[in-house]
Every structure is written in structure tokens, then in C-alpha cells.
Amino acid sequence: METQTLSVAEAIRTRRTVRHYRTDPVAPELLEELLDLTMQAPSAWNMQDRSVVVVTGEAGRRALHEAAFGQPQPLEAPVVLVFLADVDAWRAGNADIAELAGRSGAWNADFTAMFDTRAEYHALERHGLLRENAVKNAMIAATYAMLAATGLGLASAPMNGWDAELVKQAVGVGGRADLAVAVLVTVGYSDTVPPHPGRRPHERTVFAERYAAAR
């Protein structure tokens, strides 16, 4: 099995967006490790209002290829991760979340009581921000997936050009308004080592205390 282990800093610095992949499959145990690391990602109130659909079959990947306007990644990569944001996850009881957090000592009674009120989610609903909140949480998980993939010797690519309804149909949730497609991440082994495209200097993108218009 082709694996490697990198530090977080090394994974961040060496990760590249890969558009073309070798035909080598991802071993099931390696994929399971990747998914376990992915789902360690944090989410607001630990609501875990994000899911990942793992697409490895040719028919499913072809459907995603078509949903992504013919981009090659879903067809070439052996694995496509579809990150879904559950806009209404907070409406359920979710007693298991609070119970586990309390049992582990992560939450005290006061914090659990605040969780039970869902006050923040009611405020998000009033401001029309429920979808945005859930998508943010899904994107955090997707970032974990890409860094974990790099650390495990895998290549990946985030994909943000697709027809959302076609993606939903491809993973069996067509017509579900309560679910939003956050991003697709293809995973496999790169057929090349893409060069780093570079990043702007911090003077253009990092500011102390207050934002200043970049020049």
C-alpha cells in the first residue's frame, strides 16, 4: 500500500490541486483512515451538520463528471467525496451529541443547556444564514480531507464548478432543499507533480488589527 506520513506543516506546504490521476485504486483501509481524519473536523456547537458521500463506482463518478460540466477529475480519480451541508440538522433533538460531550467532560451542564436552547440557530434562521453556517462547517471538513489526503500520500482537488441539482441527483438526494452541496473533492494518485502556482506576499493579504485595501 502506497502511504506516507507528513507533519501538518509539511502537508500544508506540499498539497497541490491535482486535475489528472493515475488509475491506481485507493486501498479501502487507506480510504477509511482518510474519512476518519476528515470527520474529526470541528463544527459550530459540534452539530456535525455535514456529511460526506464517498463515490467510487464508475457510474456515480461519471454522473459527477457530467454534473461538473465535463471536468476530468471525477472520471479519472478513483474516489470523489461529495460534501453535503445539512441546513436543518439543528432542528432534531441531537441528544447523542450532548450526551457524548458530557460523558467525555467536554461540556458542562451550563453549556449543554445553552446547546439545548438552539438560541444561535434561531438567530441564524432570522437572518437567513442557516445555509451559510452549514456550508462553512462542511468546508472545514473538506479542508481536513485535503490535508489528510496529502499526509497519507494521496492527491486531491477541491471542485467548485458543478450543477448542484445534478450533483444531488448523482448521490441520491435530488430535490432535497434541506441539503446543500458544499464542495466536491477528488482523491487518488497524481499522474504528475504540479508546480506550486505561488501565493501573494503577506503584505497583500495579511493585516494587523484592521483591514487595509490591498495595493
Side-chain angles (χ1 to χ4, degrees):
M1 182 171 62
E2 184 176 344
T3 62
Q4 67 187 78
T5 302
L6 303 177
S7 70
V8 174
E10 289 171 327
I12 290 172
R13 290 195 170 97
T14 59
R15 188 213 64 81
R16 298 290 179 269
T17 294
V18 170
R19 287 179 55 82
H20 298 287
Y21 297 82
R22 306 201 310 258
T23 58
D24 309 48
V26 176
E29 58 269 30
L30 189 59
L31 180 57
E32 186 60 32
E33 174 70 3
L34 172 63
L35 294 171
D36 182 63
L37 293 170
T38 296
M39 302 318 283
Q40 293 298 318
S43 56
W45 288 96
N46 199 29
M47 190 61 71
Q48 301 167 67
D49 47 354
R50 70 290 186 271
S51 300
V52 57
V53 180
V54 184
V55 182
T56 58
E58 183 176 354
R61 290 186 293 109
R62 182 168 295 280
L64 291 173
H65 160 75
E66 294 170 358
F69 312 118
Q71 294 183 71
Q73 298 95 302
L75 272 186
E76 294 186 13
V79 179
V80 184
L81 307 179
V82 179
F83 286 84
L84 298 176
D86 187 345
V87 178
D88 290 337
W90 65 282
R91 298 186 191 279
N94 296 305
D96 61 310
I97 294 174
E99 180 184 353
L100 182 59
R103 206 163 58 233
S104 67
W107 290 6
N108 60 25
D110 289 340
F111 195 90
T112 299
M114 287 192 293
F115 173 79
D116 288 340
T117 68
R118 302 292 197 276
E120 184 174 329
Y121 287 93
H122 288 295
L124 289 169
E125 185 175 32
R126 286 195 301 273
H127 291 91
L129 295 175
L130 287 172
R131 183 185 186 281
E132 179 178 323
N133 181 72
V135 168
K136 286 176 181 177
N137 291 329
M139 291 301 300
I140 294 171
T143 301
Y144 266 52
M146 289 185 287
L147 293 179
T150 303
L152 294 171
L154 296 163
S156 65
M159 297 186 64
N160 196 31
W162 26 259
D163 182 299
E165 189 53 40
L166 290 180
V167 172
K168 288 183 181 183
Q169 291 175 18
V171 297
V173 294
R176 290 278 301 272
D178 59 319
L179 296 175
V181 180
V183 69
L184 277 60
V185 176
T186 51
V187 177
Y189 294 99
S190 177
D191 70 345
T192 60
V193 179
H196 196 308
R199 297 292 187 266
R200 283 176 163 171
H202 288 184
E203 290 78 10
R204 293 284 302 272
T205 55
V206 180
F207 307 98
E209 307 299 339
R210 297 174 67 85
Y211 176 78
R215 292 187 295 275

